[in-house]
mmCIF file of all heavy atoms in Angstrom:
data_model
loop_
_atom_site.group_PDB
_atom_site.id
_atom_site.type_symbol
_atom_site.label_atom_id
_atom_site.label_comp_id
_atom_site.label_asym_id
_atom_site.label_seq_id
_atom_site.Cartn_x
_atom_site.Cartn_y
_atom_site.Cartn_z
ATOM 1 N N PHE A 21 0.855 -1.223 -0.002
ATOM 2 C CA PHE A 21 -0.018 -0.033 -0.024
ATOM 3 C C PHE A 21 0.928 1.173 0.025
ATOM 4 O O PHE A 21 1.850 1.285 0.824
ATOM 5 C CB PHE A 21 -0.911 0.031 1.198
ATOM 6 C CG PHE A 21 -2.016 -0.914 1.190
ATOM 7 C CD1 PHE A 21 -2.656 -1.281 2.376
ATOM 8 C CD2 PHE A 21 -2.525 -1.449 0.094
ATOM 9 C CE1 PHE A 21 -3.665 -2.119 2.414
ATOM 10 C CE2 PHE A 21 -3.644 -2.306 0.078
ATOM 11 C CZ PHE A 21 -4.216 -2.654 1.219
ATOM 12 N N GLU A 22 0.576 2.241 -0.814
ATOM 13 C CA GLU A 22 1.234 3.491 -0.820
ATOM 14 C C GLU A 22 0.437 4.478 0.076
ATOM 15 O O GLU A 22 -0.674 4.826 -0.208
ATOM 16 C CB GLU A 22 1.398 4.109 -2.180
ATOM 17 C CG GLU A 22 2.344 3.278 -3.142
ATOM 18 C CD GLU A 22 2.438 3.981 -4.580
ATOM 19 O OE1 GLU A 22 1.688 5.034 -4.766
ATOM 20 O OE2 GLU A 22 3.114 3.397 -5.300
ATOM 21 N N GLU A 23 0.987 4.717 1.300
ATOM 22 C CA GLU A 23 0.228 5.459 2.229
ATOM 23 C C GLU A 23 1.035 6.795 2.589
ATOM 24 O O GLU A 23 2.214 6.907 2.177
ATOM 25 C CB GLU A 23 0.016 4.769 3.510
ATOM 26 C CG GLU A 23 -0.898 3.436 3.256
ATOM 27 C CD GLU A 23 -1.425 2.853 4.588
ATOM 28 O OE1 GLU A 23 -1.086 3.363 5.699
ATOM 29 O OE2 GLU A 23 -1.952 1.705 4.482
ATOM 30 N N GLY A 24 0.375 7.725 3.328
ATOM 31 C CA GLY A 24 1.074 8.929 3.655
ATOM 32 C C GLY A 24 2.353 8.757 4.438
ATOM 33 O O GLY A 24 3.253 9.629 4.295
ATOM 34 N N VAL A 25 2.475 7.785 5.258
ATOM 35 C CA VAL A 25 3.671 7.445 6.032
ATOM 36 C C VAL A 25 4.752 6.783 5.196
ATOM 37 O O VAL A 25 5.814 6.553 5.739
ATOM 38 C CB VAL A 25 3.349 6.728 7.309
ATOM 39 C CG1 VAL A 25 2.502 7.494 8.254
ATOM 40 C CG2 VAL A 25 2.738 5.428 6.963
ATOM 41 N N GLY A 26 4.436 6.304 4.032
ATOM 42 C CA GLY A 26 5.380 5.552 3.174
ATOM 43 C C GLY A 26 4.770 4.249 2.723
ATOM 44 O O GLY A 26 3.641 3.875 2.957
ATOM 45 N N PRO A 27 5.582 3.435 1.998
ATOM 46 C CA PRO A 27 5.160 2.106 1.549
ATOM 47 C C PRO A 27 4.867 1.178 2.705
ATOM 48 O O PRO A 27 5.665 1.051 3.606
ATOM 49 C CB PRO A 27 6.301 1.612 0.637
ATOM 50 C CG PRO A 27 7.129 2.838 0.408
ATOM 51 C CD PRO A 27 6.910 3.784 1.613
ATOM 52 N N VAL A 28 3.719 0.537 2.701
ATOM 53 C CA VAL A 28 3.306 -0.422 3.695
ATOM 54 C C VAL A 28 3.125 -1.831 3.080
ATOM 55 O O VAL A 28 2.175 -2.140 2.380
ATOM 56 C CB VAL A 28 2.051 0.070 4.415
ATOM 57 C CG1 VAL A 28 1.582 -0.977 5.498
ATOM 58 C CG2 VAL A 28 2.199 1.387 4.972
ATOM 59 N N PRO A 29 4.137 -2.730 3.342
ATOM 60 C CA PRO A 29 3.982 -4.075 2.837
ATOM 61 C C PRO A 29 2.797 -4.803 3.606
ATOM 62 O O PRO A 29 2.604 -4.758 4.799
ATOM 63 C CB PRO A 29 5.288 -4.759 3.287
ATOM 64 C CG PRO A 29 6.316 -3.620 3.522
ATOM 65 C CD PRO A 29 5.426 -2.584 4.083
ATOM 66 N N VAL A 30 2.003 -5.567 2.895
ATOM 67 C CA VAL A 30 0.909 -6.355 3.331
ATOM 68 C C VAL A 30 0.993 -7.752 2.889
ATOM 69 O O VAL A 30 1.182 -7.992 1.688
ATOM 70 C CB VAL A 30 -0.463 -5.697 2.864
ATOM 71 C CG1 VAL A 30 -1.639 -6.445 3.435
ATOM 72 C CG2 VAL A 30 -0.627 -4.240 3.285
ATOM 73 N N THR A 31 0.761 -8.641 3.872
ATOM 74 C CA THR A 31 0.770 -10.074 3.432
ATOM 75 C C THR A 31 -0.661 -10.598 3.701
ATOM 76 O O THR A 31 -1.275 -10.379 4.800
ATOM 77 C CB THR A 31 1.743 -10.901 4.437
ATOM 78 O OG1 THR A 31 3.050 -10.432 4.157
ATOM 79 C CG2 THR A 31 1.647 -12.421 4.089
ATOM 80 N N ILE A 32 -1.179 -11.328 2.704
ATOM 81 C CA ILE A 32 -2.588 -11.807 2.757
ATOM 82 C C ILE A 32 -2.411 -13.457 2.794
ATOM 83 O O ILE A 32 -1.817 -13.925 1.887
ATOM 84 C CB ILE A 32 -3.462 -11.450 1.593
ATOM 85 C CG1 ILE A 32 -3.568 -9.944 1.456
ATOM 86 C CG2 ILE A 32 -4.848 -12.012 1.715
ATOM 87 C CD1 ILE A 32 -4.033 -9.444 0.144
ATOM 88 N N ARG A 33 -3.013 -13.958 3.773
ATOM 89 C CA ARG A 33 -2.990 -15.473 3.851
ATOM 90 C C ARG A 33 -4.405 -16.020 3.455
ATOM 91 O O ARG A 33 -5.403 -15.411 3.835
ATOM 92 C CB ARG A 33 -2.644 -15.900 5.290
ATOM 93 C CG ARG A 33 -1.316 -15.468 5.751
ATOM 94 C CD ARG A 33 -1.028 -15.842 7.210
ATOM 95 N NE ARG A 33 0.102 -15.131 7.808
ATOM 96 C CZ ARG A 33 0.221 -14.966 9.106
ATOM 97 N NH1 ARG A 33 -0.544 -15.527 9.976
ATOM 98 N NH2 ARG A 33 1.335 -14.390 9.524
ATOM 99 N N ALA A 34 -4.239 -17.105 2.660
ATOM 100 C CA ALA A 34 -5.581 -17.730 2.132
ATOM 101 C C ALA A 34 -5.727 -19.021 2.755
ATOM 102 O O ALA A 34 -4.777 -19.770 3.056
ATOM 103 C CB ALA A 34 -5.523 -17.749 0.651
ATOM 104 N N LYS A 35 -6.969 -19.436 2.852
ATOM 105 C CA LYS A 35 -7.349 -20.795 3.225
ATOM 106 C C LYS A 35 -8.538 -21.260 2.333
ATOM 107 O O LYS A 35 -9.464 -20.588 2.188
ATOM 108 C CB LYS A 35 -7.890 -20.724 4.735
ATOM 109 C CG LYS A 35 -8.196 -22.157 5.255
ATOM 110 C CD LYS A 35 -8.648 -22.053 6.700
ATOM 111 C CE LYS A 35 -7.618 -21.629 7.627
ATOM 112 N NZ LYS A 35 -8.151 -21.545 9.080
ATOM 113 N N GLU A 36 -8.254 -22.358 1.680
ATOM 114 C CA GLU A 36 -9.184 -22.887 0.749
ATOM 115 C C GLU A 36 -9.574 -21.945 -0.379
ATOM 116 O O GLU A 36 -10.709 -21.871 -0.663
ATOM 117 C CB GLU A 36 -10.441 -23.502 1.510
ATOM 118 C CG GLU A 36 -10.102 -24.603 2.475
ATOM 119 C CD GLU A 36 -11.322 -25.103 3.200
ATOM 120 O OE1 GLU A 36 -12.424 -24.437 3.053
ATOM 121 O OE2 GLU A 36 -11.231 -26.034 3.912
ATOM 122 N N GLY A 37 -8.603 -21.210 -0.809
ATOM 123 C CA GLY A 37 -8.739 -20.238 -1.926
ATOM 124 C C GLY A 37 -9.446 -18.951 -1.526
ATOM 125 O O GLY A 37 -9.695 -18.169 -2.335
ATOM 126 N N ARG A 38 -9.710 -18.682 -0.294
ATOM 127 C CA ARG A 38 -10.321 -17.424 0.118
ATOM 128 C C ARG A 38 -9.276 -16.721 1.215
ATOM 129 O O ARG A 38 -8.728 -17.303 2.031
ATOM 130 C CB ARG A 38 -11.691 -17.765 0.823
ATOM 131 C CG ARG A 38 -12.652 -18.356 -0.120
ATOM 132 C CD ARG A 38 -13.939 -18.690 0.599
ATOM 133 N NE ARG A 38 -14.520 -17.450 1.046
ATOM 134 C CZ ARG A 38 -15.373 -16.731 0.335
ATOM 135 N NH1 ARG A 38 -15.656 -17.046 -0.918
ATOM 136 N NH2 ARG A 38 -15.929 -15.691 0.824
ATOM 137 N N ALA A 39 -9.372 -15.381 1.128
ATOM 138 C CA ALA A 39 -8.597 -14.652 2.005
ATOM 139 C C ALA A 39 -9.087 -14.837 3.419
ATOM 140 O O ALA A 39 -10.269 -14.820 3.775
ATOM 141 C CB ALA A 39 -8.649 -13.100 1.738
ATOM 142 N N ASP A 40 -8.127 -15.124 4.329
ATOM 143 C CA ASP A 40 -8.495 -15.518 5.685
ATOM 144 C C ASP A 40 -7.746 -14.589 6.786
ATOM 145 O O ASP A 40 -8.287 -14.486 7.843
ATOM 146 C CB ASP A 40 -8.046 -16.925 6.009
ATOM 147 C CG ASP A 40 -8.440 -17.407 7.319
ATOM 148 O OD1 ASP A 40 -9.689 -17.564 7.642
ATOM 149 O OD2 ASP A 40 -7.510 -17.700 8.112
ATOM 150 N N PHE A 41 -6.698 -13.911 6.394
ATOM 151 C CA PHE A 41 -5.905 -13.135 7.403
ATOM 152 C C PHE A 41 -5.056 -12.186 6.600
ATOM 153 O O PHE A 41 -4.506 -12.479 5.549
ATOM 154 C CB PHE A 41 -4.993 -14.096 8.182
ATOM 155 C CG PHE A 41 -4.223 -13.403 9.262
ATOM 156 C CD1 PHE A 41 -4.675 -13.285 10.568
ATOM 157 C CD2 PHE A 41 -2.931 -12.948 9.057
ATOM 158 C CE1 PHE A 41 -4.020 -12.738 11.573
ATOM 159 C CE2 PHE A 41 -2.206 -12.408 10.038
ATOM 160 C CZ PHE A 41 -2.733 -12.230 11.326
ATOM 161 N N ALA A 42 -4.916 -11.004 7.110
ATOM 162 C CA ALA A 42 -4.034 -9.943 6.513
ATOM 163 C C ALA A 42 -3.142 -9.311 7.566
ATOM 164 O O ALA A 42 -3.592 -9.081 8.688
ATOM 165 C CB ALA A 42 -4.855 -8.912 5.759
ATOM 166 N N GLN A 43 -1.948 -9.062 7.157
ATOM 167 C CA GLN A 43 -0.932 -8.538 8.143
ATOM 168 C C GLN A 43 -0.127 -7.418 7.392
ATOM 169 O O GLN A 43 0.372 -7.560 6.324
ATOM 170 C CB GLN A 43 0.052 -9.590 8.623
ATOM 171 C CG GLN A 43 1.054 -9.090 9.682
ATOM 172 C CD GLN A 43 2.004 -10.185 9.962
ATOM 173 O OE1 GLN A 43 2.823 -10.625 9.213
ATOM 174 N NE2 GLN A 43 2.007 -10.681 11.215
ATOM 175 N N LEU A 44 -0.092 -6.228 8.099
ATOM 176 C CA LEU A 44 0.724 -5.136 7.564
ATOM 177 C C LEU A 44 1.961 -4.894 8.360
ATOM 178 O O LEU A 44 1.996 -5.161 9.558
ATOM 179 C CB LEU A 44 -0.126 -3.879 7.430
ATOM 180 C CG LEU A 44 -0.628 -3.251 8.663
ATOM 181 C CD1 LEU A 44 0.431 -2.260 9.341
ATOM 182 C CD2 LEU A 44 -1.870 -2.474 8.411
ATOM 183 N N SER A 45 2.990 -4.418 7.695
ATOM 184 C CA SER A 45 4.249 -3.995 8.335
ATOM 185 C C SER A 45 4.311 -2.457 8.410
ATOM 186 O O SER A 45 4.046 -1.824 7.424
ATOM 187 C CB SER A 45 5.490 -4.611 7.478
ATOM 188 O OG SER A 45 5.384 -5.995 7.514
ATOM 189 N N VAL A 46 4.627 -1.974 9.561
ATOM 190 C CA VAL A 46 4.609 -0.502 9.678
ATOM 191 C C VAL A 46 5.674 0.150 8.866
ATOM 192 O O VAL A 46 6.814 -0.500 8.711
ATOM 193 C CB VAL A 46 4.711 -0.087 11.182
ATOM 194 C CG1 VAL A 46 3.500 -0.675 11.970
ATOM 195 C CG2 VAL A 46 6.023 -0.443 11.813
ATOM 196 N N ALA A 47 5.475 1.344 8.357
ATOM 197 C CA ALA A 47 6.408 2.043 7.519
ATOM 198 C C ALA A 47 7.445 2.766 8.367
ATOM 199 O O ALA A 47 8.559 3.060 7.916
ATOM 200 C CB ALA A 47 5.731 2.992 6.613
ATOM 201 N N LYS A 48 7.040 3.154 9.642
ATOM 202 C CA LYS A 48 7.899 3.954 10.509
ATOM 203 C C LYS A 48 8.108 3.184 11.848
ATOM 204 O O LYS A 48 7.185 2.621 12.373
ATOM 205 C CB LYS A 48 7.344 5.276 10.761
ATOM 206 C CG LYS A 48 7.175 6.206 9.576
ATOM 207 C CD LYS A 48 6.449 7.474 10.017
ATOM 208 C CE LYS A 48 7.306 8.330 10.985
ATOM 209 N NZ LYS A 48 6.694 9.612 11.288
ATOM 210 N N PRO A 49 9.373 3.084 12.325
ATOM 211 C CA PRO A 49 9.578 2.480 13.561
ATOM 212 C C PRO A 49 8.952 3.273 14.737
ATOM 213 O O PRO A 49 8.678 4.510 14.555
ATOM 214 C CB PRO A 49 11.146 2.428 13.700
ATOM 215 C CG PRO A 49 11.571 3.572 12.855
ATOM 216 C CD PRO A 49 10.588 3.652 11.756
ATOM 217 N N PRO A 50 8.673 2.671 15.822
ATOM 218 C CA PRO A 50 8.036 3.380 16.964
ATOM 219 C C PRO A 50 8.906 4.574 17.426
ATOM 220 O O PRO A 50 10.025 4.538 17.538
ATOM 221 C CB PRO A 50 7.963 2.308 18.052
ATOM 222 C CG PRO A 50 8.043 0.956 17.333
ATOM 223 C CD PRO A 50 8.934 1.234 16.164
ATOM 224 N N GLU A 51 8.128 5.658 17.752
ATOM 225 C CA GLU A 51 8.711 6.887 18.194
ATOM 226 C C GLU A 51 8.135 7.111 19.529
ATOM 227 O O GLU A 51 6.958 7.201 19.652
ATOM 228 C CB GLU A 51 8.522 8.033 17.246
ATOM 229 C CG GLU A 51 8.959 9.372 17.711
ATOM 230 C CD GLU A 51 8.602 10.482 16.816
ATOM 231 O OE1 GLU A 51 7.944 10.269 15.805
ATOM 232 O OE2 GLU A 51 8.888 11.707 17.132
ATOM 233 N N PHE A 52 8.921 7.506 20.536
ATOM 234 C CA PHE A 52 8.432 7.684 21.880
ATOM 235 C C PHE A 52 8.351 9.220 22.107
ATOM 236 O O PHE A 52 9.299 9.932 21.863
ATOM 237 C CB PHE A 52 9.285 7.038 22.994
ATOM 238 C CG PHE A 52 9.148 5.572 22.887
ATOM 239 C CD1 PHE A 52 9.880 4.833 22.006
ATOM 240 C CD2 PHE A 52 8.272 4.854 23.753
ATOM 241 C CE1 PHE A 52 9.741 3.443 21.950
ATOM 242 C CE2 PHE A 52 8.120 3.535 23.684
ATOM 243 C CZ PHE A 52 8.855 2.731 22.796
ATOM 244 N N GLY A 53 7.218 9.666 22.595
ATOM 245 C CA GLY A 53 6.953 11.066 22.815
ATOM 246 C C GLY A 53 7.387 11.590 24.129
ATOM 247 O O GLY A 53 8.034 10.898 24.960
ATOM 248 N N PRO A 54 6.952 12.774 24.525
ATOM 249 C CA PRO A 54 7.344 13.377 25.788
ATOM 250 C C PRO A 54 6.522 12.691 26.973
ATOM 251 O O PRO A 54 5.723 11.794 26.721
ATOM 252 C CB PRO A 54 6.831 14.835 25.712
ATOM 253 C CG PRO A 54 5.840 14.790 24.588
ATOM 254 C CD PRO A 54 6.235 13.704 23.622
ATOM 255 N N GLU A 55 6.864 13.044 28.181
ATOM 256 C CA GLU A 55 6.385 12.411 29.346
ATOM 257 C C GLU A 55 4.866 12.614 29.366
ATOM 258 O O GLU A 55 4.312 13.615 28.907
ATOM 259 C CB GLU A 55 6.880 12.975 30.635
ATOM 260 C CG GLU A 55 8.266 12.470 30.988
ATOM 261 C CD GLU A 55 8.402 11.014 31.252
ATOM 262 O OE1 GLU A 55 7.434 10.523 32.032
ATOM 263 O OE2 GLU A 55 9.218 10.320 30.745
ATOM 264 N N ALA A 56 4.096 11.549 29.782
ATOM 265 C CA ALA A 56 2.617 11.580 29.851
ATOM 266 C C ALA A 56 2.131 12.614 30.885
ATOM 267 O O ALA A 56 2.871 12.948 31.820
ATOM 268 C CB ALA A 56 2.103 10.222 30.061
ATOM 269 N N PRO A 57 0.864 13.044 30.706
ATOM 270 C CA PRO A 57 0.282 13.812 31.865
ATOM 271 C C PRO A 57 0.269 13.046 33.122
ATOM 272 O O PRO A 57 0.436 11.837 33.086
ATOM 273 C CB PRO A 57 -1.145 14.162 31.236
ATOM 274 C CG PRO A 57 -0.970 13.975 29.723
ATOM 275 C CD PRO A 57 0.045 12.904 29.614
ATOM 276 N N SER A 58 -0.003 13.669 34.200
ATOM 277 C CA SER A 58 -0.080 13.116 35.508
ATOM 278 C C SER A 58 -1.221 11.977 35.597
ATOM 279 O O SER A 58 -2.201 12.090 34.847
ATOM 280 C CB SER A 58 -0.243 14.060 36.611
ATOM 281 O OG SER A 58 -1.545 14.605 36.557
ATOM 282 N N SER A 59 -1.009 11.050 36.490
ATOM 283 C CA SER A 59 -2.058 10.042 36.755
ATOM 284 C C SER A 59 -3.355 10.690 37.199
ATOM 285 O O SER A 59 -4.499 10.232 36.865
ATOM 286 C CB SER A 59 -1.626 9.019 37.851
ATOM 287 O OG SER A 59 -0.557 8.220 37.346
ATOM 288 N N ASP A 60 -3.233 11.802 37.973
ATOM 289 C CA ASP A 60 -4.467 12.520 38.357
ATOM 290 C C ASP A 60 -5.225 13.071 37.158
ATOM 291 O O ASP A 60 -6.502 12.866 37.095
ATOM 292 C CB ASP A 60 -4.057 13.649 39.322
ATOM 293 C CG ASP A 60 -3.678 13.148 40.664
ATOM 294 O OD1 ASP A 60 -4.008 11.985 41.023
ATOM 295 O OD2 ASP A 60 -3.121 13.943 41.481
ATOM 296 N N ASP A 61 -4.525 13.645 36.157
ATOM 297 C CA ASP A 61 -5.146 14.232 35.005
ATOM 298 C C ASP A 61 -5.741 13.110 34.144
ATOM 299 O O ASP A 61 -6.885 13.205 33.615
ATOM 300 C CB ASP A 61 -4.167 14.991 34.212
ATOM 301 C CG ASP A 61 -3.950 16.442 34.716
ATOM 302 O OD1 ASP A 61 -4.610 16.812 35.682
ATOM 303 O OD2 ASP A 61 -3.003 17.078 34.282
ATOM 304 N N ILE A 62 -5.087 12.025 33.984
ATOM 305 C CA ILE A 62 -5.542 10.904 33.142
ATOM 306 C C ILE A 62 -6.741 10.320 33.796
ATOM 307 O O ILE A 62 -7.785 9.901 33.142
ATOM 308 C CB ILE A 62 -4.461 9.896 32.939
ATOM 309 C CG1 ILE A 62 -3.289 10.418 32.125
ATOM 310 C CG2 ILE A 62 -4.975 8.602 32.315
ATOM 311 C CD1 ILE A 62 -2.034 9.498 32.022
ATOM 312 N N ALA A 63 -6.751 10.030 35.205
ATOM 313 C CA ALA A 63 -7.842 9.480 35.886
ATOM 314 C C ALA A 63 -9.145 10.359 35.683
ATOM 315 O O ALA A 63 -10.193 9.906 35.530
ATOM 316 C CB ALA A 63 -7.556 9.259 37.372
#
């Protein structure tokens, strides 16, 4: 798939000739952001 974040490889698995499962690989590795808000705010 050509997506905004870049090319996304997709694997489709078939069973008895019919699509049964699809899996995509992310185009960008995980990026960790700044510290989360406080537990009080989240709660």
Side-chain angles (χ1 to χ4, degrees):
F21 285 158
E22 294 181 358
E23 299 191 6
V25 294
V28 176
V30 179
T31 299
I32 304 166
R33 300 176 194 162
K35 183 181 294 184
E36 298 178 355
R38 298 178 63 86
D40 182 65
F41 182 90
Q43 182 186 66
L44 64 85
S45 299
V46 301
K48 295 177 64 176
E51 175 187 2
F52 291 82
E55 284 297 313
S58 69
S59 293
D60 287 345
D61 281 351
I62 295 172

